[in-house]
Amino acid sequence: MARAFRATTRGYKADLEAHERRLISQLCADVISLLERRGEQITDGAAESAADQGSAAGDDVFAHFRRELAGLGVGLDDSAAAQEAEPAGLSAPEDPVLARLLPEAAEDPQEAAQLRRLTEASLRESKLADLRTARMLLESDPVTLTEEQAPIFGRALNDVRLTLATRLGIEDEADAEQIHQMAGTSQAATTEQFMAEVYAFTTWLQETLFSAMLELLPDDGDEIGSAEEGAE
Amino acid sequence: MSSAHGSTLTREDTDLDTQLRGMLAAQRPYNVVVWNDPVNLMSYVAWVFRSYFGHSKERAHKLMLEVHHDGRAVVATGPKEKAERDVTAMHNYGLQATLEEA
């Protein structure tokens, strides 16, 4: 059984089973390939890269689940064509996971498209860097995070949670509650039940990490408080 | 310098006009708005508000609850370029954020 993140004198530590670390690492890898494909689409404008997308899944037990997670590249051709038609801005990804990971930066669609053209590539690169670092950190047992690594790991874990939540169709608090109930009662007979369990597990991990991190944030009024500002 | 610019003024009147309007827009304050979603944890959102914006514990908590109950909250206000950076940073943390004129 996994033991939650807690603050120690040598960073935040969590004892995770080897298969748990492997699972989270695989999920990070799936989000990485999703983001990389989006980058390739934009630079190449070609849809060929979608063809090999199932091959990485292999024959492990998560293959079906991971294929589902990867979203099968829905709407690649359409969005590439749309981008060519309007070079001034960049349209939002049609894949709901990508749309959630790379959201619109303004409510006005035209302004959002222009902002996306300016910022999406760097946002994608930041997320890719976080996810790759998280995979590296998951190689160690127990998982140990320094103050600098903890937010990076947290962001990557959150992107995994956002991906799972989008695939599970969580749109409001009631959906989220239902998924948590499904995770608590089932024996994971279906892909959805398995995804729900993984979502609940990563949520728990995230909660323990950030509860520990919040406790170590200096209170305001402390002299050291201002030194921490803008540390990101 | 001024004469060279003067000669292009008549030809590229509209361009300069657009540029000027762009510059004025950049001066106007923009709000960074964070939107509610059912996935991001309260502890996570509170941590992001405190560590990224340097908000106090109380203010971060108040803003987090405002997002939760009202569906959105203005978490920072500043020049457009700064607001854009903040919105991208929020997206990097996985929060739903937009910018709007203050």
Side-chain angles (χ1 to χ4, degrees), chain A residues 100 103-105 115 123 126-127 155 158 161 165 172-173 199 206-207 210 213-214 217-220 232, chain B residues 35-41 43-44 47 50-51 54 56-58 84 88 91-94 96-99:
Chain A
R100 180 63 190 84
E104 299 280 65
L115 286 167
L123 177 60
S126 305
K127 284 184 182 284
R155 285 195 296 260
N158 207 44
R161 294 183 58 246
D172 55 33
E173 321 278 338
Y199 178 73
Q206 176 90 341
E207 175 65 34
F210 280 86
M213 286 165 73
L214 266 176
L217 264 193
D219 271 335
D220 352 294
E232 272 309 286
Chain B
W35 300 81
N36 190 36
D37 76 83
V39 179
N40 283 307
L41 298 166
S43 58
Y44 182 66
W47 186 88
R50 285 182 67 186
S51 68
S56 68
K57 190 176 180 177
E58 288 69 29
E84 278 175 19
T88 304
H91 289 176
N92 198 25
Y93 279 106
Q96 304 264 39
T98 53
L99 80 170

Side-chain angles (χ1 to χ4, degrees), chain A residues 182-206:
Chain A
M182 186 194 284
T185 55
S186 77
Q187 293 221 330
T190 67
T191 301
E192 196 190 14
Q193 285 169 345
F194 180 63
M195 257 202 247
E197 282 195 9
V198 178
Y199 178 73
F201 174 66
T202 51
T203 299
W204 169 78
L205 206 56
Q206 176 90 341

Side-chain angles (χ1 to χ4, degrees), chain B residues 11-31:
Chain B
R11 278 191 285 119
E12 299 177 39
D13 209 11
T14 42
D15 255 18
L16 284 175
D17 196 42
T18 314
Q19 276 179 23
L20 191 65
R21 259 188 276 139
M23 279 165 67
L24 288 173
Q27 303 287 315
R28 278 197 297 271
Y30 276 74
N31 287 335

Side-chain angles (χ1 to χ4, degrees), chain A residues 102-151:
Chain A
L102 309 166
E104 299 280 65
E107 287 191 275
D108 173 58
Q110 220 175 339
E111 198 182 359
Q114 289 190 349
L115 286 167
R116 180 177 293 279
R117 183 175 56 82
L118 297 173
T119 59
E120 195 198 285
S122 70
L123 177 60
R124 234 184 305 117
E125 288 307 316
S126 305
K127 284 184 182 284
L128 285 168
D130 287 347
L131 289 156
R132 288 178 186 132
T133 302
R135 293 199 74 195
M136 189 196 73
L137 292 165
L138 285 161
E139 294 292 314
S140 63
D141 181 23
V143 176
T144 308
L145 313 173
T146 64
E147 285 291 334
E148 290 75 32
Q149 289 165 337

Side-chain angles (χ1 to χ4, degrees), chain A residues 214 217-221 225 229, chain B residues 45-64 75:
Chain A
L214 266 176
L217 264 193
D219 271 335
D220 352 294
E229 283 184 18
Chain B
V45 175
W47 186 88
V48 171
F49 287 174
R50 285 182 67 186
S51 68
Y52 180 82
F53 292 108
H55 288 326
S56 68
K57 190 176 180 177
E58 288 69 29
R59 181 152 167 73
H61 188 72
K62 189 177 157 284
L63 285 172
M64 188 261 292
V75 298

